[in-house]
Amino acid sequence: MIAVLCGGVGAAKFLDGALRAFDGEEVVAIANVADDEVMHGLHISPDIDTILYTLSGQVNPETGWGLAGESWRVMERLEKLGGQTWFHLGDLDLATHLYRSARLGEGATLTEVTAELAERYGLGVRLLPATDGDLRTIVSIRDNDGSVRDVTFQEYFVKLRHEPHVKAVSYRSAGVVTPAPEVMDALATARAIVFAPSNPVLSIAPILAIGEIAETVAKRRNDVVAVTPIVEGRAIKGPADRVLDSLGFESSALGVARFYADYSGTFVLDTRDSELAGKISSLDIRVRHTDTIMHDTATRTALAEFVRGVIEGV
Ligand code: FO1
């Protein structure tokens, strides 16, 4: 079994490749839930849903999140009623949030609801939220007038279009929440732990902000393989490069490797960045090179097969 720490879009594509590359071996996806948001009384888990929709072949290929062929009638009516519509919830997507929220309201845990959804969407991976607790990423942003204020991840990412300067990122309740029931067992027994090519600060770090998870992953550093989400200094998707930069980490694969240095003994670097290999090795990290950009099924599978080879010491 391999365990994969996951954010949204990049992780979902990697998992899609992993399902083919690790055929016959169980893949356990441990997903970030610190981006979750309650909107209109509904619990939305964007990273979990991106994984559900991608692996079931239903994701919107243009955005990488939400469903293909979506309609927006509920949002249109909500707009007319003067409701909040900055977070776009499609008509079909809403069914997932209704199901999740109803089950949580009945007392089910996020782990249980996620397993039910994974079964209904016919997923080939075991999908676990990192925690059933109320962990939230809080972004401290600097407004144009110089004042600093805290917003939730989705307010920063969607409402403010990840434009403001990020002063700090924190993980609310990280010291209080515990790992979801099956997470520690998966991390302890996995043949290897993979960090998917996700935003280090906004997707992987919230998972590692849970003390027990961080301790176990650090102890298994030799079995951890991190895949870079940054190529030639730029994030494949989203603001990972700018966020690393504003937190004082270089916005490059080297910055990512430094960020992961306590946790990951092996780093998968993009071939385009091979000149960074020496500096990454000097952090006591093994470096492996390949093409990490996933355009289609073939490149997703090739990246996951490469990671399998790295795990097997090929
Ligand atoms: N991203 C956007 O840029 N705009 C949206 O309105 C938006 C709505 C949304 C609804 C459900 C969902 O599962 C994801 C959604 N996302 C939206 C994506 C989401 O904000 C990000 O992909 C992740 O949170 C980043 O990991």
Side-chain angles (χ1 to χ4, degrees):
M1 180 260 289
I2 64 151
V4 186
L5 303 199
C6 296
V9 180
K13 289 180 180 173
F14 177 78
L15 287 172
D16 183 43
L19 274 173
R20 276 175 287 274
F22 290 85
D23 185 29
E25 179 169 13
E26 192 185 19
V27 176
V28 178
I30 300 172
N32 172 38
V33 288
D35 295 3
D36 286 19
E37 187 83 44
V38 174
M39 297 286 300
H40 322 294
L42 301 176
H43 185 118
I44 297 145
S45 297
D47 286 349
I48 285 178
D49 292 347
T50 296
I51 294 169
L52 290 171
Y53 298 161
T54 303
L55 297 187
S56 60
Q58 301 181 59
V59 80
N60 177 337
E62 268 131 54
T63 54
W65 55 267
L67 287 156
E70 188 57 281
S71 58
W72 304 93
R73 297 191 67 201
V74 174
M75 285 289 113
E76 282 156 22
R77 179 58 61 100
L78 194 58
E79 174 109 49
K80 286 192 181 130
L81 296 175
Q84 293 231 11
T85 54
W86 58 266
F87 198 66
H88 300 101
L89 298 170
D91 299 336
L92 298 175
D93 185 30
L94 273 163
T96 306
H97 314 314
L98 286 168
Y99 181 86
R100 173 180 297 115
S101 308
R103 291 287 293 121
L104 290 173
E106 286 164 12
T109 62
L110 191 57
T111 300
E112 288 164 346
V113 185
T114 304
E116 290 164 11
L117 287 168
E119 200 229 315
R120 311 280 149 82
Y121 279 103
L123 248 59
V125 304
R126 181 147 58 103
L127 178 56
L128 305 176
T131 177
D132 285 333
D134 213 10
L135 180 68
R136 290 292 172 271
T137 297
I138 302 295
V139 185
S140 299
I141 53 159
R142 193 183 304 127
D143 277 326
N144 288 340
D145 63 3
S147 60
V148 174
R149 68 186 167 107
D150 287 349
V151 293
T152 64
F153 172 82
Q154 295 301 344
E155 284 175 304
Y156 161 72
F157 193 81
V158 177
K159 195 175 186 185
L160 302 170
R161 301 188 182 116
H162 47 81
E163 283 166 3
H165 176 80
V166 175
K167 270 216 81 195
V169 175
S170 56
Y171 310 105
R172 197 185 67 204
S173 306
V176 183
V177 301
T178 52
E182 297 163 53
V183 166
M184 292 313 294
D185 183 54
L187 290 174
T189 58
R191 178 161 77 109
I193 299 169
V194 179
F195 292 0
S198 295
N199 186 318
V201 181
L202 298 171
S203 299
I204 304 296
I207 304 176
L208 295 171
I210 304 169
E212 271 181 76
I213 295 185
E215 257 170 59
T216 301
V217 174
K219 272 195 206 128
R220 300 210 55 195
R221 185 180 184 277
N222 247 333
D223 303 316
V224 178
V225 179
V227 182
T228 186
I230 294 204
V231 176
E232 295 181 311
R234 282 185 304 276
I236 309 296
K237 193 173 192 302
D241 44 1
R242 278 178 290 124
V243 172
L244 274 170
D245 196 39
S246 49
L247 297 183
F249 286 87
E250 195 178 296
S251 63
S252 68
L254 174 61
V256 179
R258 284 195 183 122
F259 192 79
Y260 287 153
D262 291 341
Y263 301 102
S264 173
T266 304
F267 193 80
V268 176
L269 181 68
D270 195 276
T271 317
R272 298 164 187 83
D273 287 328
S274 7
E275 78 280 359
L276 299 173
K279 282 192 176 157
I280 298 177
S281 304
S282 68
L283 301 167
D284 186 28
I285 296 174
R286 285 179 295 274
V287 182
R288 298 288 180 267
H289 311 242
T290 191
D291 182 356
T292 61
I293 299 185
M294 297 175 283
H295 314 278
D296 51 21
T297 304
T299 43
R300 290 173 187 186
T301 310
L303 178 60
E305 273 170 357
F306 183 82
V307 169
R308 199 193 66 207
V310 169
I311 291 167
E312 283 159 12
V314 176

